[in-house]
PDB file of all heavy atoms in Angstrom:
ATOM      1  N   ASP A   5      -5.567 -12.899   0.350  1.00 98.00           N
ATOM      2  CA  ASP A   5      -5.717 -14.265   0.844  1.00 98.00           C
ATOM      3  C   ASP A   5      -6.999 -14.373   1.650  1.00 98.00           C
ATOM      4  O   ASP A   5      -7.168 -13.682   2.664  1.00 98.00           O
ATOM      5  CB  ASP A   5      -4.507 -14.624   1.707  1.00 98.00           C
ATOM      6  CG  ASP A   5      -4.499 -16.077   2.153  1.00 98.00           C
ATOM      7  OD1 ASP A   5      -5.528 -16.769   1.990  1.00 98.00           O
ATOM      8  OD2 ASP A   5      -3.470 -16.521   2.686  1.00 98.00           O
ATOM      9  N   GLY A   6      -7.913 -15.256   1.214  1.00 98.00           N
ATOM     10  CA  GLY A   6      -9.193 -15.405   1.898  1.00 98.00           C
ATOM     11  C   GLY A   6      -9.088 -15.856   3.338  1.00 98.00           C
ATOM     12  O   GLY A   6     -10.042 -15.703   4.107  1.00 98.00           O
ATOM     13  N   ALA A   7      -7.932 -16.396   3.757  1.00 97.00           N
ATOM     14  CA  ALA A   7      -7.769 -16.834   5.145  1.00 97.00           C
ATOM     15  C   ALA A   7      -7.900 -15.675   6.122  1.00 97.00           C
ATOM     16  O   ALA A   7      -8.249 -15.878   7.291  1.00 97.00           O
ATOM     17  CB  ALA A   7      -6.417 -17.519   5.318  1.00 97.00           C
ATOM     18  N   THR A   8      -7.632 -14.440   5.660  1.00 96.00           N
ATOM     19  CA  THR A   8      -7.733 -13.277   6.547  1.00 96.00           C
ATOM     20  C   THR A   8      -9.143 -13.105   7.089  1.00 96.00           C
ATOM     21  O   THR A   8      -9.333 -12.620   8.202  1.00 96.00           O
ATOM     22  CB  THR A   8      -7.294 -12.002   5.797  1.00 96.00           C
ATOM     23  OG1 THR A   8      -5.940 -12.170   5.373  1.00 96.00           O
ATOM     24  CG2 THR A   8      -7.395 -10.768   6.680  1.00 96.00           C
ATOM     25  N   ARG A   9     -10.148 -13.490   6.326  1.00 95.00           N
ATOM     26  CA  ARG A   9     -11.524 -13.384   6.820  1.00 95.00           C
ATOM     27  C   ARG A   9     -12.104 -14.754   7.167  1.00 95.00           C
ATOM     28  O   ARG A   9     -13.320 -14.950   7.185  1.00 95.00           O
ATOM     29  CB  ARG A   9     -12.408 -12.659   5.808  1.00 95.00           C
ATOM     30  CG  ARG A   9     -12.616 -13.352   4.480  1.00 95.00           C
ATOM     31  CD  ARG A   9     -13.542 -12.518   3.599  1.00 95.00           C
ATOM     32  NE  ARG A   9     -13.919 -13.217   2.369  1.00 95.00           N
ATOM     33  CZ  ARG A   9     -14.625 -12.661   1.394  1.00 95.00           C
ATOM     34  NH1 ARG A   9     -15.036 -11.407   1.508  1.00 95.00           N
ATOM     35  NH2 ARG A   9     -14.950 -13.345   0.315  1.00 95.00           N
ATOM     36  N   GLY A  10     -11.228 -15.715   7.405  1.00 95.00           N
ATOM     37  CA  GLY A  10     -11.675 -17.026   7.857  1.00 95.00           C
ATOM     38  C   GLY A  10     -12.078 -17.971   6.758  1.00 95.00           C
ATOM     39  O   GLY A  10     -12.699 -19.005   7.032  1.00 95.00           O
ATOM     40  N   GLY A  11     -11.750 -17.651   5.505  1.00 95.00           N
ATOM     41  CA  GLY A  11     -12.111 -18.509   4.389  1.00 95.00           C
ATOM     42  C   GLY A  11     -10.882 -19.106   3.741  1.00 95.00           C
ATOM     43  O   GLY A  11      -9.874 -19.382   4.399  1.00 95.00           O
ATOM     44  N   SER A  12     -10.951 -19.283   2.441  1.00 94.00           N
ATOM     45  CA  SER A  12      -9.824 -19.823   1.692  1.00 94.00           C
ATOM     46  C   SER A  12      -9.853 -19.256   0.287  1.00 94.00           C
ATOM     47  O   SER A  12     -10.812 -18.580  -0.111  1.00 94.00           O
ATOM     48  CB  SER A  12      -9.894 -21.353   1.636  1.00 94.00           C
ATOM     49  OG  SER A  12     -11.095 -21.772   1.002  1.00 94.00           O
ATOM     50  N   GLY A  13      -8.807 -19.531  -0.476  1.00 96.00           N
ATOM     51  CA  GLY A  13      -8.736 -19.056  -1.849  1.00 96.00           C
ATOM     52  C   GLY A  13      -8.424 -17.582  -1.934  1.00 96.00           C
ATOM     53  O   GLY A  13      -8.064 -16.929  -0.947  1.00 96.00           O
ATOM     54  N   LEU A  14      -8.580 -17.049  -3.128  1.00 97.00           N
ATOM     55  CA  LEU A  14      -8.243 -15.668  -3.412  1.00 97.00           C
ATOM     56  C   LEU A  14      -9.503 -14.812  -3.400  1.00 97.00           C
ATOM     57  O   LEU A  14     -10.521 -15.179  -3.984  1.00 97.00           O
ATOM     58  CB  LEU A  14      -7.569 -15.592  -4.779  1.00 97.00           C
ATOM     59  CG  LEU A  14      -6.759 -14.350  -5.116  1.00 97.00           C
ATOM     60  CD1 LEU A  14      -5.539 -14.232  -4.213  1.00 97.00           C
ATOM     61  CD2 LEU A  14      -6.341 -14.391  -6.586  1.00 97.00           C
ATOM     62  N   VAL A  15      -9.439 -13.670  -2.737  1.00 98.00           N
ATOM     63  CA  VAL A  15     -10.530 -12.699  -2.719  1.00 98.00           C
ATOM     64  C   VAL A  15     -10.091 -11.497  -3.548  1.00 98.00           C
ATOM     65  O   VAL A  15      -9.096 -10.845  -3.222  1.00 98.00           O
ATOM     66  CB  VAL A  15     -10.878 -12.261  -1.292  1.00 98.00           C
ATOM     67  CG1 VAL A  15     -11.980 -11.192  -1.313  1.00 98.00           C
ATOM     68  CG2 VAL A  15     -11.306 -13.450  -0.452  1.00 98.00           C
ATOM     69  N   VAL A  16     -10.802 -11.219  -4.641  1.00 98.00           N
ATOM     70  CA  VAL A  16     -10.464 -10.098  -5.520  1.00 98.00           C
ATOM     71  C   VAL A  16     -11.587  -9.060  -5.450  1.00 98.00           C
ATOM     72  O   VAL A  16     -12.754  -9.386  -5.704  1.00 98.00           O
ATOM     73  CB  VAL A  16     -10.249 -10.554  -6.969  1.00 98.00           C
ATOM     74  CG1 VAL A  16      -9.920  -9.359  -7.858  1.00 98.00           C
ATOM     75  CG2 VAL A  16      -9.133 -11.600  -7.041  1.00 98.00           C
ATOM     76  N   SER A  17     -11.228  -7.834  -5.100  1.00 98.00           N
ATOM     77  CA  SER A  17     -12.208  -6.759  -4.924  1.00 98.00           C
ATOM     78  C   SER A  17     -11.908  -5.621  -5.887  1.00 98.00           C
ATOM     79  O   SER A  17     -10.748  -5.244  -6.067  1.00 98.00           O
ATOM     80  CB  SER A  17     -12.171  -6.238  -3.484  1.00 98.00           C
ATOM     81  OG  SER A  17     -12.352  -7.289  -2.561  1.00 98.00           O
ATOM     82  N   PRO A  18     -12.954  -5.061  -6.512  1.00 98.00           N
ATOM     83  CA  PRO A  18     -12.728  -3.954  -7.448  1.00 98.00           C
ATOM     84  C   PRO A  18     -12.545  -2.622  -6.744  1.00 98.00           C
ATOM     85  O   PRO A  18     -13.172  -2.348  -5.715  1.00 98.00           O
ATOM     86  CB  PRO A  18     -14.005  -3.959  -8.291  1.00 98.00           C
ATOM     87  CG  PRO A  18     -15.058  -4.468  -7.342  1.00 98.00           C
ATOM     88  CD  PRO A  18     -14.369  -5.464  -6.456  1.00 98.00           C
ATOM     89  N   VAL A  19     -11.672  -1.797  -7.298  1.00 98.00           N
ATOM     90  CA  VAL A  19     -11.441  -0.451  -6.783  1.00 98.00           C
ATOM     91  C   VAL A  19     -11.448   0.513  -7.964  1.00 98.00           C
ATOM     92  O   VAL A  19     -10.848   0.230  -9.003  1.00 98.00           O
ATOM     93  CB  VAL A  19     -10.093  -0.347  -6.041  1.00 98.00           C
ATOM     94  CG1 VAL A  19      -9.866   1.082  -5.540  1.00 98.00           C
ATOM     95  CG2 VAL A  19     -10.037  -1.322  -4.879  1.00 98.00           C
ATOM     96  N   ARG A  20     -12.111   1.648  -7.785  1.00 98.00           N
ATOM     97  CA  ARG A  20     -12.118   2.696  -8.799  1.00 98.00           C
ATOM     98  C   ARG A  20     -11.771   4.020  -8.118  1.00 98.00           C
ATOM     99  O   ARG A  20     -12.337   4.338  -7.069  1.00 98.00           O
ATOM    100  CB  ARG A  20     -13.489   2.777  -9.482  1.00 98.00           C
ATOM    101  CG  ARG A  20     -13.798   1.543 -10.327  1.00 98.00           C
ATOM    102  CD  ARG A  20     -15.234   1.488 -10.776  1.00 98.00           C
ATOM    103  NE  ARG A  20     -16.171   1.332  -9.681  1.00 98.00           N
ATOM    104  CZ  ARG A  20     -16.394   0.187  -9.036  1.00 98.00           C
ATOM    105  NH1 ARG A  20     -15.719  -0.897  -9.357  1.00 98.00           N
ATOM    106  NH2 ARG A  20     -17.277   0.122  -8.069  1.00 98.00           N
ATOM    107  N   VAL A  21     -10.834   4.739  -8.725  1.00 98.00           N
ATOM    108  CA  VAL A  21     -10.339   5.984  -8.131  1.00 98.00           C
ATOM    109  C   VAL A  21     -10.396   7.096  -9.173  1.00 98.00           C
ATOM    110  O   VAL A  21     -10.020   6.894 -10.332  1.00 98.00           O
ATOM    111  CB  VAL A  21      -8.886   5.833  -7.630  1.00 98.00           C
ATOM    112  CG1 VAL A  21      -8.430   7.136  -6.961  1.00 98.00           C
ATOM    113  CG2 VAL A  21      -8.759   4.666  -6.663  1.00 98.00           C
ATOM    114  N   ARG A  22     -10.848   8.252  -8.737  1.00 97.00           N
ATOM    115  CA  ARG A  22     -10.836   9.462  -9.567  1.00 97.00           C
ATOM    116  C   ARG A  22     -10.150  10.556  -8.769  1.00 97.00           C
ATOM    117  O   ARG A  22     -10.536  10.831  -7.619  1.00 97.00           O
ATOM    118  CB  ARG A  22     -12.269   9.869  -9.910  1.00 97.00           C
ATOM    119  CG  ARG A  22     -12.362  11.055 -10.866  1.00 97.00           C
ATOM    120  CD  ARG A  22     -13.807  11.351 -11.222  1.00 97.00           C
ATOM    121  NE  ARG A  22     -14.569  11.878 -10.107  1.00 97.00           N
ATOM    122  CZ  ARG A  22     -15.471  11.203  -9.411  1.00 97.00           C
ATOM    123  NH1 ARG A  22     -15.737   9.943  -9.701  1.00 97.00           N
ATOM    124  NH2 ARG A  22     -16.125  11.773  -8.407  1.00 97.00           N
ATOM    125  N   SER A  23      -9.097  11.147  -9.354  1.00 96.00           N
ATOM    126  CA  SER A  23      -8.355  12.149  -8.596  1.00 96.00           C
ATOM    127  C   SER A  23      -7.425  12.946  -9.501  1.00 96.00           C
ATOM    128  O   SER A  23      -6.891  12.399 -10.474  1.00 96.00           O
ATOM    129  CB  SER A  23      -7.508  11.473  -7.513  1.00 96.00           C
ATOM    130  OG  SER A  23      -6.725  12.416  -6.817  1.00 96.00           O
ATOM    131  N   PRO A  24      -7.167  14.210  -9.180  1.00 94.00           N
ATOM    132  CA  PRO A  24      -6.016  14.880  -9.774  1.00 94.00           C
ATOM    133  C   PRO A  24      -4.742  14.243  -9.210  1.00 94.00           C
ATOM    134  O   PRO A  24      -4.648  13.993  -8.007  1.00 94.00           O
ATOM    135  CB  PRO A  24      -6.155  16.338  -9.310  1.00 94.00           C
ATOM    136  CG  PRO A  24      -7.542  16.453  -8.774  1.00 94.00           C
ATOM    137  CD  PRO A  24      -7.935  15.104  -8.293  1.00 94.00           C
ATOM    138  N   LEU A  25      -3.764  13.975 -10.073  1.00 94.00           N
ATOM    139  CA  LEU A  25      -2.496  13.380  -9.643  1.00 94.00           C
ATOM    140  C   LEU A  25      -1.351  14.329  -9.958  1.00 94.00           C
ATOM    141  O   LEU A  25      -1.320  14.966 -11.017  1.00 94.00           O
ATOM    142  CB  LEU A  25      -2.254  12.045 -10.335  1.00 94.00           C
ATOM    143  CG  LEU A  25      -3.122  10.866  -9.925  1.00 94.00           C
ATOM    144  CD1 LEU A  25      -2.737   9.628 -10.724  1.00 94.00           C
ATOM    145  CD2 LEU A  25      -2.998  10.585  -8.422  1.00 94.00           C
ATOM    146  N   ALA A  26      -0.396  14.405  -9.044  1.00 94.00           N
ATOM    147  CA  ALA A  26       0.801  15.216  -9.233  1.00 94.00           C
ATOM    148  C   ALA A  26       2.002  14.449  -8.704  1.00 94.00           C
ATOM    149  O   ALA A  26       1.853  13.414  -8.041  1.00 94.00           O
ATOM    150  CB  ALA A  26       0.657  16.554  -8.510  1.00 94.00           C
ATOM    151  N   LEU A  27       3.190  14.947  -9.010  1.00 95.00           N
ATOM    152  CA  LEU A  27       4.416  14.409  -8.448  1.00 95.00           C
ATOM    153  C   LEU A  27       4.883  15.321  -7.318  1.00 95.00           C
ATOM    154  O   LEU A  27       4.639  16.530  -7.331  1.00 95.00           O
ATOM    155  CB  LEU A  27       5.507  14.314  -9.510  1.00 95.00           C
ATOM    156  CG  LEU A  27       5.251  13.335 -10.658  1.00 95.00           C
ATOM    157  CD1 LEU A  27       6.377  13.432 -11.674  1.00 95.00           C
ATOM    158  CD2 LEU A  27       5.122  11.911 -10.135  1.00 95.00           C
ATOM    159  N   ALA A  28       5.568  14.724  -6.339  1.00 95.00           N
ATOM    160  CA  ALA A  28       6.061  15.503  -5.206  1.00 95.00           C
ATOM    161  C   ALA A  28       7.482  15.084  -4.870  1.00 95.00           C
ATOM    162  O   ALA A  28       7.925  13.983  -5.207  1.00 95.00           O
ATOM    163  CB  ALA A  28       5.160  15.314  -3.991  1.00 95.00           C
ATOM    164  N   ARG A  29       8.167  15.959  -4.175  1.00 95.00           N
ATOM    165  CA  ARG A  29       9.447  15.616  -3.570  1.00 95.00           C
ATOM    166  C   ARG A  29       9.174  15.327  -2.094  1.00 95.00           C
ATOM    167  O   ARG A  29       8.594  16.155  -1.394  1.00 95.00           O
ATOM    168  CB  ARG A  29      10.447  16.764  -3.707  1.00 95.00           C
ATOM    169  CG  ARG A  29      11.862  16.391  -3.250  1.00 95.00           C
ATOM    170  CD  ARG A  29      12.798  17.597  -3.341  1.00 95.00           C
ATOM    171  NE  ARG A  29      12.862  18.123  -4.694  1.00 95.00           N
ATOM    172  CZ  ARG A  29      13.603  17.599  -5.664  1.00 95.00           C
ATOM    173  NH1 ARG A  29      14.335  16.515  -5.434  1.00 95.00           N
ATOM    174  NH2 ARG A  29      13.617  18.161  -6.856  1.00 95.00           N
ATOM    175  N   ALA A  30       9.587  14.149  -1.639  1.00 96.00           N
ATOM    176  CA  ALA A  30       9.283  13.746  -0.270  1.00 96.00           C
ATOM    177  C   ALA A  30      10.393  12.857   0.269  1.00 96.00           C
ATOM    178  O   ALA A  30      11.124  12.200  -0.495  1.00 96.00           O
ATOM    179  CB  ALA A  30       7.944  13.016  -0.205  1.00 96.00           C
ATOM    180  N   ARG A  31      10.508  12.816   1.574  1.00 97.00           N
ATOM    181  CA  ARG A  31      11.498  11.958   2.231  1.00 97.00           C
ATOM    182  C   ARG A  31      10.759  10.820   2.942  1.00 97.00           C
ATOM    183  O   ARG A  31       9.979  11.046   3.856  1.00 97.00           O
ATOM    184  CB  ARG A  31      12.320  12.757   3.232  1.00 97.00           C
ATOM    185  CG  ARG A  31      13.407  11.941   3.923  1.00 97.00           C
ATOM    186  CD  ARG A  31      14.260  12.816   4.816  1.00 97.00           C
ATOM    187  NE  ARG A  31      15.305  12.050   5.471  1.00 97.00           N
ATOM    188  CZ  ARG A  31      16.198  12.554   6.297  1.00 97.00           C
ATOM    189  NH1 ARG A  31      16.167  13.866   6.571  1.00 97.00           N
ATOM    190  NH2 ARG A  31      17.117  11.804   6.847  1.00 97.00           N
ATOM    191  N   TRP A  32      11.020   9.603   2.474  1.00 98.00           N
ATOM    192  CA  TRP A  32      10.415   8.403   3.038  1.00 98.00           C
ATOM    193  C   TRP A  32      11.430   7.726   3.966  1.00 98.00           C
ATOM    194  O   TRP A  32      12.576   7.484   3.561  1.00 98.00           O
ATOM    195  CB  TRP A  32      10.017   7.431   1.940  1.00 98.00           C
ATOM    196  CG  TRP A  32       8.973   7.938   1.006  1.00 98.00           C
ATOM    197  CD1 TRP A  32       9.137   8.845   0.000  1.00 98.00           C
ATOM    198  CD2 TRP A  32       7.595   7.560   0.977  1.00 98.00           C
ATOM    199  NE1 TRP A  32       7.952   9.061  -0.660  1.00 98.00           N
ATOM    200  CE2 TRP A  32       6.979   8.275  -0.081  1.00 98.00           C
ATOM    201  CE3 TRP A  32       6.824   6.667   1.721  1.00 98.00           C
ATOM    202  CZ2 TRP A  32       5.634   8.146  -0.399  1.00 98.00           C
ATOM    203  CZ3 TRP A  32       5.484   6.526   1.419  1.00 98.00           C
ATOM    204  CH2 TRP A  32       4.894   7.256   0.374  1.00 98.00           C
ATOM    205  N   GLU A  33      11.017   7.399   5.180  1.00 98.00           N
ATOM    206  CA  GLU A  33      11.897   6.699   6.111  1.00 98.00           C
ATOM    207  C   GLU A  33      11.150   5.518   6.728  1.00 98.00           C
ATOM    208  O   GLU A  33       9.978   5.651   7.122  1.00 98.00           O
ATOM    209  CB  GLU A  33      12.406   7.636   7.203  1.00 98.00           C
ATOM    210  CG  GLU A  33      13.345   8.724   6.681  1.00 98.00           C
ATOM    211  CD  GLU A  33      14.024   9.492   7.798  1.00 98.00           C
ATOM    212  OE1 GLU A  33      13.596   9.339   8.969  1.00 98.00           O
ATOM    213  OE2 GLU A  33      14.966  10.241   7.499  1.00 98.00           O
ATOM    214  N   HIS A  34      11.840   4.373   6.810  1.00 98.00           N
ATOM    215  CA  HIS A  34      11.278   3.157   7.388  1.00 98.00           C
ATOM    216  C   HIS A  34      12.303   2.563   8.333  1.00 98.00           C
ATOM    217  O   HIS A  34      13.477   2.427   7.978  1.00 98.00           O
ATOM    218  CB  HIS A  34      10.912   2.152   6.294  1.00 98.00           C
ATOM    219  CG  HIS A  34       9.977   2.703   5.265  1.00 98.00           C
ATOM    220  ND1 HIS A  34      10.416   3.354   4.115  1.00 98.00           N
ATOM    221  CD2 HIS A  34       8.621   2.729   5.213  1.00 98.00           C
ATOM    222  CE1 HIS A  34       9.377   3.753   3.408  1.00 98.00           C
ATOM    223  NE2 HIS A  34       8.285   3.386   4.040  1.00 98.00           N
ATOM    224  N   VAL A  35      11.883   2.211   9.528  1.00 98.00           N
ATOM    225  CA  VAL A  35      12.798   1.675  10.532  1.00 98.00           C
ATOM    226  C   VAL A  35      13.285   0.296  10.091  1.00 98.00           C
ATOM    227  O   VAL A  35      12.466  -0.587   9.802  1.00 98.00           O
ATOM    228  CB  VAL A  35      12.096   1.590  11.902  1.00 98.00           C
ATOM    229  CG1 VAL A  35      13.000   0.933  12.943  1.00 98.00           C
ATOM    230  CG2 VAL A  35      11.676   2.989  12.365  1.00 98.00           C
ATOM    231  N   PRO A  36      14.608   0.068  10.018  1.00 98.00           N
ATOM    232  CA  PRO A  36      15.114  -1.209   9.505  1.00 98.00           C
ATOM    233  C   PRO A  36      14.639  -2.423  10.273  1.00 98.00           C
ATOM    234  O   PRO A  36      14.451  -3.498   9.693  1.00 98.00           O
ATOM    235  CB  PRO A  36      16.640  -1.041   9.602  1.00 98.00           C
ATOM    236  CG  PRO A  36      16.866   0.440   9.578  1.00 98.00           C
ATOM    237  CD  PRO A  36      15.684   1.041  10.279  1.00 98.00           C
ATOM    238  N   THR A  37      14.443  -2.282  11.577  1.00 97.00           N
ATOM    239  CA  THR A  37      14.024  -3.418  12.395  1.00 97.00           C
ATOM    240  C   THR A  37      12.507  -3.544  12.508  1.00 97.00           C
ATOM    241  O   THR A  37      12.012  -4.439  13.185  1.00 97.00           O
ATOM    242  CB  THR A  37      14.621  -3.308  13.806  1.00 97.00           C
ATOM    243  OG1 THR A  37      14.239  -2.043  14.375  1.00 97.00           O
ATOM    244  CG2 THR A  37      16.139  -3.403  13.753  1.00 97.00           C
ATOM    245  N   GLY A  38      11.782  -2.661  11.853  1.00 98.00           N
ATOM    246  CA  GLY A  38      10.322  -2.689  11.918  1.00 98.00           C
ATOM    247  C   GLY A  38       9.720  -3.555  10.838  1.00 98.00           C
ATOM    248  O   GLY A  38      10.422  -4.140  10.002  1.00 98.00           O
ATOM    249  N   PRO A  39       8.389  -3.646  10.806  1.00 98.00           N
ATOM    250  CA  PRO A  39       7.717  -4.510   9.826  1.00 98.00           C
ATOM    251  C   PRO A  39       7.873  -4.056   8.383  1.00 98.00           C
ATOM    252  O   PRO A  39       7.635  -4.844   7.471  1.00 98.00           O
ATOM    253  CB  PRO A  39       6.248  -4.455  10.266  1.00 98.00           C
ATOM    254  CG  PRO A  39       6.123  -3.198  11.072  1.00 98.00           C
ATOM    255  CD  PRO A  39       7.445  -3.023  11.743  1.00 98.00           C
ATOM    256  N   LEU A  40       8.278  -2.804   8.162  1.00 98.00           N
ATOM    257  CA  LEU A  40       8.529  -2.322   6.803  1.00 98.00           C
ATOM    258  C   LEU A  40      10.024  -2.177   6.531  1.00 98.00           C
ATOM    259  O   LEU A  40      10.447  -1.392   5.681  1.00 98.00           O
ATOM    260  CB  LEU A  40       7.818  -0.978   6.573  1.00 98.00           C
ATOM    261  CG  LEU A  40       6.290  -1.002   6.731  1.00 98.00           C
ATOM    262  CD1 LEU A  40       5.699   0.364   6.401  1.00 98.00           C
ATOM    263  CD2 LEU A  40       5.657  -2.077   5.852  1.00 98.00           C
ATOM    264  N   GLY A  41      10.820  -2.980   7.229  1.00 98.00           N
ATOM    265  CA  GLY A  41      12.264  -2.916   7.071  1.00 98.00           C
ATOM    266  C   GLY A  41      12.734  -3.205   5.663  1.00 98.00           C
ATOM    267  O   GLY A  41      13.833  -2.776   5.273  1.00 98.00           O
ATOM    268  N   PHE A  42      11.928  -3.906   4.858  1.00 98.00           N
ATOM    269  CA  PHE A  42      12.328  -4.189   3.476  1.00 98.00           C
ATOM    270  C   PHE A  42      12.375  -2.929   2.614  1.00 98.00           C
ATOM    271  O   PHE A  42      12.913  -2.952   1.502  1.00 98.00           O
ATOM    272  CB  PHE A  42      11.391  -5.227   2.846  1.00 98.00           C
ATOM    273  CG  PHE A  42       9.933  -4.859   2.866  1.00 98.00           C
ATOM    274  CD1 PHE A  42       9.364  -4.157   1.828  1.00 98.00           C
ATOM    275  CD2 PHE A  42       9.137  -5.221   3.939  1.00 98.00           C
ATOM    276  CE1 PHE A  42       8.021  -3.813   1.838  1.00 98.00           C
ATOM    277  CE2 PHE A  42       7.787  -4.892   3.972  1.00 98.00           C
ATOM    278  CZ  PHE A  42       7.229  -4.188   2.924  1.00 98.00           C
ATOM    279  N   LEU A  43      11.829  -1.817   3.133  1.00 98.00           N
ATOM    280  CA  LEU A  43      11.914  -0.535   2.418  1.00 98.00           C
ATOM    281  C   LEU A  43      12.961   0.398   3.017  1.00 98.00           C
ATOM    282  O   LEU A  43      13.201   1.485   2.478  1.00 98.00           O
ATOM    283  CB  LEU A  43      10.556   0.170   2.431  1.00 98.00           C
ATOM    284  CG  LEU A  43       9.431  -0.492   1.639  1.00 98.00           C
ATOM    285  CD1 LEU A  43       8.139   0.310   1.782  1.00 98.00           C
ATOM    286  CD2 LEU A  43       9.803  -0.655   0.167  1.00 98.00           C
TER     287      LEU A  43
END
């Protein structure tokens, strides 16, 4: 949202990533009352 930088409309920025990728076993925790409570 362009309003974040004081403008309007949609701001679309390109991203390019190069990396080795793997899978992991991990424990994700998010506080229910925090800003990421939806997770």
Side-chain angles (χ1 to χ4, degrees):
D5 186 348
T8 300
R9 65 179 187 186
S12 60
L14 198 65
V15 177
V16 179
S17 305
V19 179
R20 292 169 295 284
V21 182
R22 185 177 69 255
S23 177
L25 289 180
L27 295 176
R29 187 183 302 280
R31 182 175 180 180
W32 297 76
E33 293 190 348
H34 304 89
V35 176
T37 56
L40 300 183
F42 56 90
L43 293 179

